[in-house]
Amino acid sequence: MFGAIPLLIVPFVLYNLGLLGIFGGGDDPWVTEILSVRMMSGGVFSMTLGDLMVLIGLIFFFIEMVKATRTTNASIMDHLLSTFVFVAFLVEFLLVKGAAHSVFFTLMVIALIDVLAGFSVSMRSASRDINMN
């Protein structure tokens, strides 16, 4: 049951919570630095909240690609729900002022690639399951 839930809904919800001010105030919470490490080379590695959101999206995208290799009835529902998640990303990107941000756009593209790759992987996997006698 829960295997059909698209995991890219998590970055979508987290981004919207950030717009509501959960992660800090200000107009752009995504530029808030959350980690800074001085490297042996003398350079400084820093990670912003927006970078972390994209990283979370990529991790969930990887899990979605692993889930796409299943050939069960739940995988069809998973792809359908992933399409709805992408449509939600797209509608919010076009209509909500706070979603007009590069972090949100990157998450939306990850959701689009999830939909396209998920259907492609499933069709490829399903074609190998058909036996011709």
Side-chain angles (χ1 to χ4, degrees), residues 19-66:
L19 287 181
L20 293 174
I22 300 295
F23 302 126
D27 290 337
D28 192 4
W30 310 114
V31 296
T32 305
E33 188 176 295
I34 58 171
L35 175 70
S36 180
V37 178
R38 180 161 297 282
M39 306 302 284
M40 291 174 55
S41 65
V44 177
F45 169 76
S46 63
M47 180 179 275
T48 64
L49 190 57
D51 297 333
L52 181 63
M53 286 295 298
V54 171
L55 183 62
I56 290 169
L58 288 172
I59 290 168
F60 284 127
F61 175 63
F62 172 74
I63 296 169
E64 284 293 317
M65 287 300 95
V66 171

Side-chain angles (χ1 to χ4, degrees), residues 12-119:
F12 182 77
V13 170
L14 288 175
Y15 189 92
N16 285 310
L17 288 174
L19 287 181
L20 293 174
I22 300 295
F23 302 126
D27 290 337
D28 192 4
W30 310 114
V31 296
T32 305
E33 188 176 295
I34 58 171
L35 175 70
S36 180
V37 178
R38 180 161 297 282
M39 306 302 284
M40 291 174 55
S41 65
V44 177
F45 169 76
S46 63
M47 180 179 275
T48 64
L49 190 57
D51 297 333
L52 181 63
M53 286 295 298
V54 171
L55 183 62
I56 290 169
L58 288 172
I59 290 168
F60 284 127
F61 175 63
F62 172 74
I63 296 169
E64 284 293 317
M65 287 300 95
V66 171
K67 284 174 38 180
T69 60
R70 298 177 304 174
T71 55
T72 63
N73 291 338
S75 66
I76 296 169
M77 182 60 75
D78 183 38
H79 297 318
L80 182 64
L81 293 175
S82 292
T83 304
F84 289 146
V85 169
F86 168 69
V87 169
F89 267 109
L90 182 61
V91 168
E92 185 168 343
F93 180 70
L94 295 173
L95 300 178
V96 177
K97 182 179 180 181
H101 196 280
S102 62
V103 172
F104 193 81
F105 180 77
T106 304
L107 292 172
M108 182 181 69
V109 170
I110 290 171
L112 173 63
I113 294 171
D114 173 42
V115 170
L116 297 175
F119 280 117

